[in-house]
Amino acid sequence: MPSAGERPAVKMGPAPAGEQHRRATEDPEVMELAFEGMDKEKAPSRKRARTEPPAEGLLQPVNLSREELYKEPTNEELNRLRETEILFHSTLLRLQVEELLKEVRLSEKKKERIDNFLKEVTKRIQKVPPVPEAELTDQSWLPAGVRVPLHQVPYAVKGSFRFRPPSQITVVGSYLLDTCMRPDINVDVAVTMPREILQDKDGLNQRYFRKRALYLAHLAYHLAQDPLFSSVRFSYMSGCHLKPSLLLRPHGKDERLVTVRLLPCPPLDFFRPCRLLPTKNNVRSAWYRGQSCPDYEPPTPHYNTWILQDVALETHMHLLASVLGSAQGLKDGVALLKVWLRQRELDKGLGGFNGFIISMLVAFLVSKRKIHTTMSGYQVLRSVLQFLATTDLTINGISFSLSSDPSLPTLAEFHQLFAVVFVDPSGRLNLCADVTASTYNQVQYEAELSMALLDSKADDGFQLLLMTPKPMIQAFDHVVHLHPLSRLQASCHQLKLWPELQDNGGDYVSAALGPLTNILVQGLGCRLHLLAHSRPPVPEWSINQDPPKHKDAGTLTLGFLFRPEGLTSVIDLGPEADKPEAADFRQFWGTRSELRRFQDGAIREAVVWEAESLFEKRLIPHQVVTHLLALHADIPDTCIQYVGGFLDALIQNPKEISSTGEEALALAVRCYDDLSRLLWGLEGLPLTVSAVQGAHPVLRYTEVFPPAPVRPAYSFYNRLQELASLLPRPDKPCPAYVEPMTVVCHLEGSGQWPQDAEAVQRVRAAFQLRLAEVLTQEHRLQCCATATHTDVLKDGFVFRIRVAYQREPQILKEVRSPEGMVSLRDTPASLRLERDTKLLPLLTSALHGLQQQYPAYSGVARLAKRWVRAQLLGEGFTDESLDLLAASLFLHPEPFTPPSVPQVGFLRFLYLVSTFDWKNNPLIVNLNGELTAEEQVGIRSSFLAARTQLPVMVIITPQDRRSSVWTQDGPSAQILQQLVSLAAEALPILEKQLMDPRGPGDIRTVFRPPFDMYDVLIHLTPRHIPRHRQAVDPPVASFCRGLLAEPGPSSLMPVLGYDPPQLYLAQLREAFEDLALFFYDQHGGEVIGVLWKPSSFQPQPFKASSIKGRMVVSQGGELVMLPNIEAILEDFAVLGEGLVQAVEARSERWTV
Amino acid sequence: MVSRRKKRKAGGHEESIPSPPGYSAVPVKFSAKQQAPHYLYMRQHRVRQGTQSTWPPDRTLFILNVPPYCTQESLSRCLSCCGTIKTVELQEKPDLAESPTEPKSQFFHPKPVPGFQVAYVVFQKPSGVSAALNLKGPLLVSTESHLVKSGIHKWISDYEDSVLDPEALRMEVDAFMEAYDKKIAEEEAKAKEEEGVPDEEGWVKVTRRGRRPVLPRTEAASLRVLEKEKRKRARKELLNFYAWQHRETKMEHLAQLRKKFEEDKQRIELMRAQRKFRPY
């Protein structure tokens, strides 16, 4: 006893800290010298750069003088350039990486404060008084203010415990390695329990963990009395329920600076290694389950590993220190990798691929010479990602140990016991013991994506790789919440997971996780690209509370990433009936498996799912998951919240809830294809048709609500009999909205075309007339010709055929100078014609091709467009610009893969809109991959040079590389900013709703526009809103719109493009656009929002050209013009007579 | 609020409705139901000396701020008490042209959506203009005896008007093309007549007429020829033959790297200001 008391406690070594400190001070000194050198060389440019920061967040073209560009390079400059080329692959990337590392690194000042705090912590731990020995089951000595941070089940256990001050206190983990990163500054402190506390056989039956918890409880009670700490709380070490830790936070202004985690551990050589091999059993069945005389004791590999982890804390620390200690590049690499993992939610919780594992992986690769100590952080990042992308640790595990010691387990033995294998130098400890195959597959998958991104050398690679978060709801196509977690106890029972429960200390969530994911992976089969699961956040709790239960961990959330081609299959084919595998198939699928005879004569087991439309096929995984979880894991569908198609309701026809419209769009496209063939084959035209091109959103699958074939009920209409047309009747609700679909029809070249623009228009008109005659004569189609187009009714669809003469835009551009020189100048008419007859068909064709390649494009584009219009901003954006925004999610999905379902695509659309830097970047949508990397660089340079002449939103495509034709007329800066704000608000709301395990609630919340920002609201009567059924909140009842339910032939042209709200808005904008902006949702909106332009309320001197809607008043003896607001408000009602229900003027919002 | 007080005052003292200098202000409402009127600002149409106008100066009334629901017919009816009206012309902007515009085809120039417009009203006698300038109003655009369509009724009527007769379109096209062909033929005949005729100095202009196309005298063609010449000349140059050429190439490369570096630094500065380097 006296000798034990006299044993000197080993304090935290001064040498490592001092050495670390000295080494740390060297680096700033070196950097400072380099900085001074650079400063001396580049003083003039640096000074100018410093005094001219980017103005208002806008990039300016670089303005280096010729002298600066072409002066002789210094050795310093040459060395830096060469270094950049070798260690990074571009200067931009190097600068970005350096800035990031600055941001996440701890500063020296903070390190000093942390070091001081650690010294104090060490002192106070040493002063905690001892406790006499007591039986483990006798815990009456514990003070009332603290509870044991461990569920002690079963409670009865042999052995005794007494508290003695720790024999050693050592800082371990990333802090000393200088790879500790903000914002979570955690310092791990290993507290070695003295040998006399531990007894033989403490490795059995959780005795070690009981002592560990009691040791921690006693420490907690006494440290909580100390005013040094603002907070003393329990937590779990890496989320492991058997291994609590104690969190200490400083008092005062340093409260948020750091969290110190106390981790009790045994003396290094206490446990005999042979007893902790993963193949050994250390939780006796007799003790755990009360089972007497079991024939077989299953191994407890996880339990054993958790003890080994504590034993190896310092050993691993020394290994990492020896490898990383003097290599700044390696440390930088670890820091970058930690950021990479964090952005992908891979590093947290039990089984997370955490910073420790990634550090050990770096050390492993150094030992294998795959990473060299002279590498930069970027190179280390790249090397590790390359390794992860190309190695499958679920099949080919790795080990530090080179030993062929027969007493150590082989990698094959490790693979039998663990899903992922990464063995430490001792040869006994699997560093990835808690990592599931799913988590590792996710890491691997992300590494593959990241390597592809790095290899592409994209300019925004840094941003996508390290700065873009990838939350589960945005990264995965479907998400499933399993709630409550206590249900997994029944799953363990059904799956007979007694050995796993025994091994996991009763943590049924961890025990069930692997088997559950395996079942789902097998069931989803070739539909599934990747399955991921959430890991519960590591809880912390007060020391006077019991620790949280397993079921308190919240929700288990699974993410599914699908193969697009797998989503179209409705059959899961099994083996042939006479094969032995058939029984396994039937056992796996239960009653859903049926014997079927197929056309090739084979009789096989098969599962057939009920799905017809693309919408239903996309939700087959829902059926699979629900069925298998109920069958094999006793999880009823009431505990399953499947989040895959909630948003689809926004693009569904209320009458057709079993589809999201892809089938209806395809029907219209097929009709268009038929029409094309008719046009190609016409014989009665003077010139033959050389091309037929679609130019309407329907024909590129991006019309929000697809058209349906129409057949008018004639009694609903007036009619113009001689012109075979129907007219709306004022005494009836307005007819259904039938929008003609534009088709551009090119004719073969001919020398007979005139050279005068007006004459060309007449000739085109003649062709439109002739086209109508020929279609009627040859194909009995109902046609209506005008000067600019021919409307054709075919199978209930109306197409608007525009004849195009390819030289007409050029004729419109021709300007002849007095000398006779002909030059080409763009005019509004020529640009519009070129856009409508050349660029728009090209775009429609390219996007049609995109839809063939990515079936989810239609759903995503239409959902995004629906949302923009629902926010009343649709008028500010062309159809085409919104279609291209959606297309960019598929063509440039990094850091994701192209969406497979509308839900995830829409979330990324909101993210893109709310985060894209429209001021400083064009959005490049590389249709068909026609733009090379070099061309894209040139486009960005041109963009910067011409920024002030370009629209606020610039979208570049291969056919439109400079001017961004689809955003020339909008949005304005104000409208774009509003869109960005609304998207930034909607995204977190929607994500929170979709991630709620109890259900998303009202999914339409983010679609309802805010009305409080408008000065006047004009309420419309639904009777005359033809698309009222398309409203965000569909009406319970609706009006007859003059269509028969069954489509059929019609001899009269339906009412085309008649939309009273749109006609009303056209009048409002024409009359009042100087004074106000008008906002409306064309899809059944019932309210028009009016926003006065503040500038219009300024008194203005009289000018004949700008008196519209104003009146002259005398102000201070001076005659000025002011808007005649009261008359205008009455105009709103007059112009909209019959349509307008009420004009709600919020006059408190403005003053004249 | 200010306008309400102003209106009350105006109601009490009709003489004091403010108006721009030289104009007379006349209130106008769509119908009797409306409370707040717009104001037509009228004056006699006059032209500056030296310019010609299509409107007879002493018999034309010029009106500003004509509301969108005011049609030619309704305006004519409102002003008919001032005298016999010969024509009413509504335009988007005051007339600056000196020559009368040709009548526009309804097929190729559809009627635009009306906003606030200006009007030229030609009376039979100058006294009509004087009487109009003394009107008190308010003028009513739509009355029980002369209803003016607005809202649903107007849109349906406009839709009916937009369904055009293809036969009428055909006739207009034929007439236009006939006139166009005649004009082209005349130009060709004139050019043919001038062929071979010497000018005052005795020179005969030589012109080429035939099916084979010649290089057009266009800006683009000139630029293209120049570009071709430049490319031809560049192809003949030897590259990297002289030491100074090699050094210059390396220097050019270095300059590009420097420029890129400065661009990158500016971008970094911007990203730092936007807190783009904080991954949390």
Side-chain angles (χ1 to χ4, degrees):
Chain A
M1 209 53 152
S3 66
E6 289 170 8
R7 187 194 188 104
V10 178
K11 299 185 176 180
M12 186 172 65
E19 185 180 350
Q20 180 65 38
H21 187 70
R22 184 165 57 255
R23 197 182 307 116
T25 52
E26 283 174 7
D27 290 336
E29 192 175 336
V30 172
M31 290 174 60
E32 197 168 352
L33 289 176
F35 183 85
E36 284 176 356
M38 288 180 61
D39 192 35
K40 208 170 298 179
E41 301 289 343
K42 291 172 157 286
S45 66
R46 176 171 296 277
K47 191 177 297 180
R48 189 181 315 105
R50 196 180 297 116
T51 56
E52 297 173 11
E56 296 175 6
L58 195 65
L59 291 177
Q60 307 291 336
V62 162
N63 227 352
L64 284 179
S65 70
R66 182 169 186 82
E67 181 181 293
E68 283 163 344
L69 273 183
Y70 288 94
K71 71 183 180 183
E72 290 290 326
T74 63
N75 283 336
E76 174 77 19
E77 188 175 1
L78 283 179
N79 282 337
R80 187 170 166 91
L81 287 172
R82 187 177 303 117
E83 191 181 55
T84 299
E85 187 177 327
I86 293 169
L87 299 182
F88 304 83
H89 87 281
S90 76
T91 58
L92 180 65
L93 183 63
R94 175 177 197 166
L95 295 171
Q96 286 170 325
V97 165
E98 287 171 356
E99 290 291 324
L100 170 60
L101 291 172
K102 271 188 229 166
E103 199 67 46
V104 298
R105 275 259 143 74
L106 266 176
S107 68
E108 287 303 316
K109 199 173 298 183
K110 287 184 175 175
K111 277 184 189 174
E112 284 177 21
R113 279 149 56 193
I114 293 173
D115 286 341
N116 288 335
F117 182 64
L118 287 172
K119 288 192 184 103
E120 290 298 322
V121 169
T122 302
K123 287 180 194 172
R124 288 147 208 261
I125 293 172
Q126 296 289 21
K127 290 177 184 173
V128 175
V131 170
E133 187 166 20
E135 292 297 309
L136 274 174
T137 51
D138 175 13
Q139 299 172 6
S140 56
W141 56 270
L142 272 176
V146 68
R147 305 190 70 82
V148 181
L150 182 71
H151 289 295
Q152 305 177 78
V153 177
Y155 187 75
V157 71
K158 295 173 183 174
S160 59
F161 172 81
R162 59 187 169 178
F163 183 89
R164 289 291 180 271
S167 58
Q168 185 173 310
I169 301 172
T170 310
V171 175
V172 294
S174 57
Y175 177 71
L176 288 189
L177 296 172
D178 202 21
T179 57
C180 188
M181 291 179 9
R182 298 164 64 191
D184 303 321
I185 304 298
N186 295 303
V187 179
D188 293 339
V189 176
V191 179
T192 307
M193 296 182 282
R195 183 177 298 272
E196 55 265 34
I197 288 178
L198 299 170
Q199 302 162 290
D200 280 348
K201 298 183 189 280
D202 270 357
L204 291 175
N205 298 343
Q206 297 185 16
R207 282 165 54 169
Y208 165 72
F209 295 113
R210 303 294 169 93
K211 294 189 174 185
R212 193 182 179 284
L214 288 168
Y215 197 88
L216 207 59
H218 188 63
L219 280 178
Y221 176 76
H222 286 278
L223 294 176
Q225 317 299 313
D226 200 313
L228 176 69
F229 306 114
S230 69
S231 161
V232 177
R233 290 165 73 80
F234 287 131
S235 184
Y236 286 134
M237 181 182 177
S238 298
C240 175
H241 289 205
L242 289 182
K243 302 204 309 186
S245 64
L246 189 64
L247 308 182
L248 305 174
R249 297 187 173 101
H251 188 265
K253 65 186 172 89
D254 284 343
E255 183 171 349
R256 284 187 225 280
L257 170 65
V258 65
T259 298
V260 171
R261 290 194 293 222
L262 299 190
L263 312 172
C265 64
L268 181 59
D269 53 355
F270 177 80
F271 288 108
R272 278 183 293 150
C274 61
R275 289 300 311 160
L276 292 173
L277 295 179
T279 51
K280 300 295 183 180
N281 171 278
N282 283 306
V283 181
R284 303 297 193 229
S285 302
W287 173 76
Y288 187 76
R289 286 191 268 160
Q291 203 179 56
S292 58
C293 302
D295 298 329
Y296 165 72
E297 284 286 12
T300 55
H302 290 88
Y303 176 94
N304 303 353
T305 298
W306 291 332
I307 300 179
L308 280 173
Q309 284 170 355
D310 284 358
V311 174
L313 277 176
E314 277 188 67
T315 307
H316 290 159
M317 178 64 195
H318 292 325
L319 168 66
L320 290 175
S322 68
V323 175
L324 307 181
S326 58
Q328 188 60 43
L330 299 188
K331 296 181 186 181
D332 291 348
V334 169
L336 295 178
L337 285 159
K338 283 187 171 185
V339 172
W340 182 81
L341 288 164
R342 179 192 169 90
Q343 297 285 32
R344 288 152 180 79
E345 298 183 342
L346 290 165
D347 59 331
K348 289 294 190 291
L350 181 66
F353 212 82
N354 54 34
F356 171 66
I357 293 177
I358 207 72
S359 300
M360 292 296 277
L361 188 57
V362 169
F364 171 82
L365 292 175
V366 170
S367 74
K368 298 297 178 186
R369 305 288 195 273
K370 288 184 162 45
I371 288 180
H372 199 271
T373 52
T374 56
M375 281 182 172
S376 72
Y378 167 77
Q379 287 175 305
V380 171
L381 170 73
R382 198 185 162 89
S383 297
V384 172
L385 293 181
Q386 171 75 13
F387 177 84
L388 289 170
T390 56
T391 312
D392 190 348
L393 298 188
T394 64
I395 296 171
N396 299 303
I398 55 175
S399 175
F400 274 95
S401 176
L402 300 175
S403 166
S404 57
D405 188 335
S407 68
L408 295 176
T410 64
L411 285 178
E413 283 173 306
F414 273 106
H415 275 298
Q416 286 176 28
L417 298 165
F418 298 105
V420 183
V421 172
F422 179 13
V423 181
D424 84 333
S426 73
R428 299 182 184 87
L429 169 58
N430 180 11
L431 300 165
C432 289
D434 297 319
V435 177
T436 62
S438 292
T439 294
Y440 183 77
N441 287 339
Q442 193 183 350
V443 171
Q444 195 177 24
Y445 171 76
E446 291 291 342
E448 288 168 15
L449 287 184
S450 300
M451 284 306 298
L453 187 55
L454 287 174
D455 289 337
S456 73
K457 298 191 195 298
D459 234 25
D460 54 351
F462 170 83
Q463 191 71 31
L464 298 172
L465 192 64
L466 295 170
M467 307 305 294
T468 303
K470 295 187 72 174
M472 179 175 271
I473 194 67
Q474 275 191 52
F476 289 87
D477 296 320
H478 287 176
V479 164
V480 183
H481 305 296
L482 300 183
H483 176 86
L485 284 184
S486 53
R487 191 73 213 178
L488 294 183
Q489 291 185 92
S491 303
C492 289
H493 181 86
Q494 170 127 359
L495 293 162
K496 299 181 170 56
L497 300 178
W498 311 118
E500 285 82 356
L501 283 168
Q502 198 165 317
D503 186 16
N504 280 274
D507 181 359
Y508 49 81
V509 178
S510 300
L513 188 55
L516 277 186
T517 53
N518 289 342
I519 287 167
L520 295 180
V521 167
Q522 182 180 341
L524 291 168
C526 61
R527 291 188 184 83
L528 189 71
H529 192 331
L530 182 70
L531 181 151
H533 59 80
S534 67
R535 287 167 296 279
V538 181
E540 58 176 79
W541 65 97
S542 178
I543 64 172
N544 56 21
Q545 290 173 344
D546 280 328
K549 298 181 167 59
H550 305 313
K551 64 184 183 185
D552 297 330
T555 300
L556 176 60
T557 300
L558 307 172
F560 301 135
L561 195 64
F562 296 119
R563 298 182 202 279
E565 64 273 16
L567 283 177
T568 54
S569 169
V570 299
I571 293 184
D572 280 283
L573 272 184
E576 292 188 358
D578 53 355
K579 290 224 165 31
E581 296 88 6
D584 290 335
F585 189 88
R586 276 193 299 271
Q587 195 274 332
F588 183 78
W589 287 105
T591 55
R592 296 226 56 138
S593 181
E594 298 167 342
L595 271 183
R596 282 174 180 257
R597 177 189 292 274
F598 290 88
Q599 286 187 359
D600 59 2
I603 301 176
R604 318 171 72 107
E605 293 284 343
V607 182
V608 179
W609 306 99
E610 305 127 20
E612 286 186 23
S613 67
L614 185 56
F615 161 74
E616 288 171 330
K617 288 176 182 176
R618 280 198 294 255
L619 290 176
I620 285 175
H622 187 177
Q623 300 185 51
V624 174
V625 167
T626 304
H627 172 66
L628 291 179
L629 290 182
L631 180 65
H632 293 294
D634 196 12
I635 299 178
D637 59 15
T638 51
C639 296
I640 299 168
Q641 186 66 240
Y642 197 93
V643 181
F646 286 124
L647 290 170
D648 292 354
L650 276 302
I651 50 173
Q652 281 174 330
N653 186 332
K655 289 178 161 180
E656 192 69 45
I657 57 174
S658 65
S659 169
T660 42
E662 289 87 356
E663 293 74 31
L665 288 164
L667 180 66
V669 170
R670 281 199 295 277
C671 188
Y672 157 75
D673 290 336
D674 289 346
L675 180 67
S676 296
R677 279 190 285 274
L678 298 189
L679 293 172
W680 280 95
L682 289 181
E683 294 175 359
L685 284 179
L687 297 175
T688 60
V689 171
S690 66
V692 179
Q693 298 172 311
H696 191 268
V698 167
L699 305 177
R700 51 182 186 264
Y701 291 88
T702 63
E703 180 71 19
V704 179
F705 294 98
V710 297
R711 181 178 170 209
Y714 295 156
S715 61
F716 189 84
Y717 301 85
N718 287 332
R719 62 179 76 182
L720 282 172
Q721 197 65 47
E722 63 277 11
L723 297 177
S725 285
L726 296 173
L727 300 175
R729 281 170 58 172
D731 57 323
K732 284 196 177 290
C734 72
Y737 181 71
V738 177
E739 181 176 315
M741 293 175 275
T742 305
V743 176
V744 176
C745 188
H746 296 268
L747 302 177
E748 66 174 338
S750 165
Q752 301 303 308
W753 285 89
Q755 299 299 306
D756 176 72
E758 294 253 340
V760 167
Q761 285 173 28
R762 266 69 183 181
V763 174
R764 277 206 287 103
F767 274 113
Q768 304 285 178
L769 288 162
R770 183 61 187 158
L771 187 63
E773 290 173 3
V774 172
L775 282 171
T776 303
Q777 291 165 13
E778 295 186 16
H779 300 291
R780 297 286 179 267
L781 296 178
Q782 185 63 36
C783 299
C784 179
T786 72
T788 53
H789 55 258
T790 301
D791 290 333
V792 179
L793 176 62
K794 182 181 186 327
D795 303 331
F797 294 108
V798 182
F799 297 93
R800 177 158 288 182
I801 302 175
R802 288 186 61 163
V803 168
Y805 172 47
Q806 65 179 9
R807 285 201 71 251
E808 186 173 358
Q810 185 164 326
I811 288 172
L812 287 169
K813 292 185 201 181
E814 284 180 355
V815 177
R816 191 176 295 271
S817 66
E819 305 87 47
M821 171 74 77
V822 176
S823 61
L824 301 179
R825 295 282 181 266
D826 285 338
T827 66
S830 72
L831 287 172
R832 183 166 49 251
L833 188 65
E834 198 155 36
R835 190 187 68 183
D836 289 347
T837 61
K838 199 177 295 183
L839 293 177
L840 185 50
L842 274 179
L843 179 70
T844 300
S845 172
L847 293 180
H848 181 282
L850 189 75
Q851 170 65 20
Q852 304 310 301
Q853 191 179 347
Y854 300 109
Y857 171 66
S858 174
V860 174
R862 291 160 49 222
L863 197 48
K865 198 180 288 187
R866 180 76 196 91
W867 179 81
V868 172
R869 292 173 174 175
Q871 305 307 305
L872 315 189
L873 300 175
E875 184 71 21
F877 297 86
T878 60
D879 264 305
E880 292 73 36
S881 61
L882 296 177
D883 293 347
L884 286 167
L885 284 179
S888 75
L889 301 172
F890 292 82
L891 294 168
H892 311 288
E894 299 87 13
F896 306 102
T897 48
S900 294
V901 299
Q903 170 180 284
V904 70
F906 179 63
L907 291 170
R908 295 179 197 169
F909 169 83
L910 292 178
Y911 183 84
L912 171 69
V913 165
S914 57
T915 58
F916 192 82
D917 185 6
W918 298 102
K919 275 188 198 170
N920 294 305
N921 290 290
L923 183 76
I924 299 183
V925 187
N926 197 359
L927 295 164
N928 297 320
E930 292 180 21
L931 296 169
T932 66
E934 292 77 28
E935 283 171 330
Q936 292 185 44
V937 171
I939 285 167
R940 287 183 212 279
S941 295
S942 304
F943 170 86
L944 286 184
R947 189 65 189 95
T948 52
Q949 286 91 47
L950 292 168
V952 293
M953 175 192 259
V954 172
I955 301 179
I956 298 294
T957 64
Q959 294 82 29
D960 172 25
R961 303 184 178 202
R962 205 165 301 277
S963 59
S964 185
V965 299
W966 307 115
T967 61
Q968 285 291 329
D969 298 325
S972 64
Q974 180 185 359
I975 298 296
L976 178 58
Q977 183 52 47
Q978 174 72 359
L979 185 78
V980 170
S981 299
L982 289 171
E985 277 182 40
L987 183 56
I989 291 172
L990 191 55
E991 284 184 339
K992 188 178 177 187
Q993 284 183 294
L994 295 175
M995 289 302 282
D996 191 332
R998 295 159 300 178
D1002 188 353
I1003 210 71
R1004 296 169 201 269
T1005 300
V1006 296
F1007 281 77
R1008 298 195 186 95
F1011 280 116
D1012 49 289
M1013 58 184 272
Y1014 296 111
D1015 298 318
V1016 182
L1017 297 179
I1018 305 176
H1019 299 267
L1020 311 179
T1021 175
R1023 177 180 173 90
H1024 292 293
I1025 302 176
R1027 295 185 263 188
H1028 192 225
R1029 280 202 186 112
Q1030 298 176 0
V1032 166
D1033 293 297
V1036 287
S1038 192
F1039 297 86
C1040 172
R1041 299 294 180 187
L1043 296 179
L1044 294 172
E1046 296 83 23
S1050 169
S1051 61
L1052 294 174
M1053 186 67 72
V1055 174
L1056 299 178
Y1058 179 72
D1059 187 343
Q1062 294 297 320
L1063 297 169
Y1064 178 51
L1065 280 161
Q1067 287 184 294
L1068 291 177
R1069 291 189 169 112
E1070 182 65 33
F1072 306 114
E1073 67 179 345
D1074 291 347
L1075 302 173
L1077 297 169
F1078 299 91
F1079 298 87
Y1080 178 65
D1081 176 8
Q1082 68 208 72
H1083 297 297
E1086 291 186 18
V1087 181
I1088 294 175
V1090 184
L1091 205 57
W1092 301 122
K1093 295 181 177 180
S1095 58
S1096 66
F1097 280 67
Q1098 302 299 314
Q1100 294 174 23
F1102 170 74
K1103 202 191 306 179
S1105 57
S1106 62
I1107 194 168
K1108 301 178 175 182
R1110 292 178 165 84
M1111 61 185 179
V1112 174
V1113 299
S1114 178
Q1115 246 188 26
E1118 226 175 80
L1119 291 178
V1120 294
M1121 296 193 308
L1122 282 174
N1124 193 347
I1125 295 295
E1126 292 187 352
I1128 289 169
L1129 292 174
E1130 287 187 328
D1131 287 348
F1132 290 166
V1134 167
L1135 292 173
E1137 186 176 325
L1139 171 68
V1140 171
Q1141 214 166 41
V1143 176
E1144 180 190 340
R1146 299 161 159 184
S1147 46
E1148 71 278 359
R1149 287 179 54 97
W1150 76 80
T1151 53
V1152 179
Chain B
M1 303 308 126
V2 174
S3 63
R4 186 168 300 151
R5 189 179 310 116
K6 190 75 65 179
K7 175 174 173 298
R8 199 180 311 113
K9 187 197 294 183
H13 310 282
E14 292 177 1
E15 306 294 337
S16 66
I17 297 177
S19 62
Y23 287 85
S24 174
V26 182
V28 61
K29 298 194 292 182
F30 178 74
S31 70
K33 288 186 297 184
Q34 273 71 52
Q35 302 298 315
H38 281 288
Y39 293 93
L40 303 178
Y41 296 111
M42 308 178 175
R43 68 177 171 87
Q44 176 177 322
H45 176 62
R46 65 177 64 91
V47 297
R48 287 189 298 274
Q49 284 191 351
T51 62
Q52 291 196 359
S53 170
T54 55
W55 317 106
D58 56 343
R59 292 186 290 120
T60 303
L61 182 70
F62 175 65
I63 309 178
L64 284 172
N65 203 36
V66 180
Y69 40 74
C70 204
T71 62
Q72 275 185 0
E73 296 78 16
S74 61
L75 191 58
S76 181
R77 180 169 36 77
C78 286
L79 300 175
S80 61
C81 61
C82 304
T84 305
I85 294 171
K86 292 187 72 68
T87 63
V88 175
E89 195 72 34
L90 285 169
Q91 294 178 178
E92 185 185 344
K93 292 175 181 173
D95 195 6
L96 302 177
E98 295 179 0
S99 60
T101 55
E102 295 178 31
K104 294 208 174 212
S105 158
Q106 61 169 341
F107 295 105
F108 291 92
H109 301 282
K111 190 172 61 176
V113 177
F116 282 85
Q117 294 171 303
V118 303
Y120 294 89
V121 183
V122 179
F123 287 92
Q124 185 164 285
K125 296 176 181 175
S127 59
V129 173
S130 306
L133 294 176
N134 287 292
L135 282 171
K136 298 309 170 192
L139 306 178
L140 298 184
V141 170
S142 177
T143 61
E144 285 186 6
S145 55
H146 296 89
L147 283 175
V148 170
K149 289 173 178 167
S150 71
I152 298 291
H153 287 79
K154 173 172 165 54
W155 299 323
I156 291 177
S157 177
D158 287 349
Y159 184 86
E160 182 168 0
D161 294 343
S162 74
V163 184
L164 301 172
D165 182 2
E167 194 55 37
L169 171 59
R170 181 194 318 283
M171 289 193 292
E172 183 181 312
V173 165
D174 289 346
F176 181 98
M177 294 310 297
E178 190 175 315
Y180 176 79
D181 289 338
K182 183 184 296 182
K183 184 162 72 92
I184 294 294
E186 286 172 357
E187 288 174 1
E188 285 182 348
K190 185 177 177 185
K192 187 169 293 187
E193 285 173 4
E194 291 175 358
E195 194 173 347
V197 175
D199 61 5
E200 299 124 5
E201 298 179 8
W203 293 100
V204 176
K205 183 190 291 184
V206 178
T207 59
R208 180 194 181 90
R209 300 183 67 258
R211 184 172 293 108
R212 185 162 164 272
V214 298
L215 195 68
R217 292 193 61 208
T218 60
E219 197 178 38
S222 300
L223 293 176
R224 207 176 305 121
V225 170
L226 290 176
E227 187 64 30
K228 194 183 296 181
E229 286 294 325
K230 192 187 300 181
R231 203 178 310 119
K232 193 183 297 180
R233 194 180 309 112
R235 199 181 305 129
K236 294 178 177 176
E237 276 184 26
L238 290 172
L239 296 178
N240 293 343
F241 181 75
Y242 299 103
W244 61 264
Q245 280 175 315
H246 183 63
R247 192 183 313 119
E248 197 174 82
T249 301
K250 289 184 71 177
M251 187 58 69
E252 188 69 36
H253 180 63
L254 179 64
Q256 288 302 314
L257 286 180
R258 280 195 176 122
K259 185 165 186 286
K260 183 70 163 60
F261 184 60
E262 289 300 321
E263 280 175 358
D264 291 345
K265 283 206 300 188
Q266 193 189 173
R267 199 175 284 270
I268 293 293
E269 193 67 42
L270 179 69
M271 290 172 74
R272 189 190 289 129
Q274 295 175 340
R275 297 222 174 282
K276 283 291 183 62
F277 290 113
R278 184 163 289 194
Y280 47 84

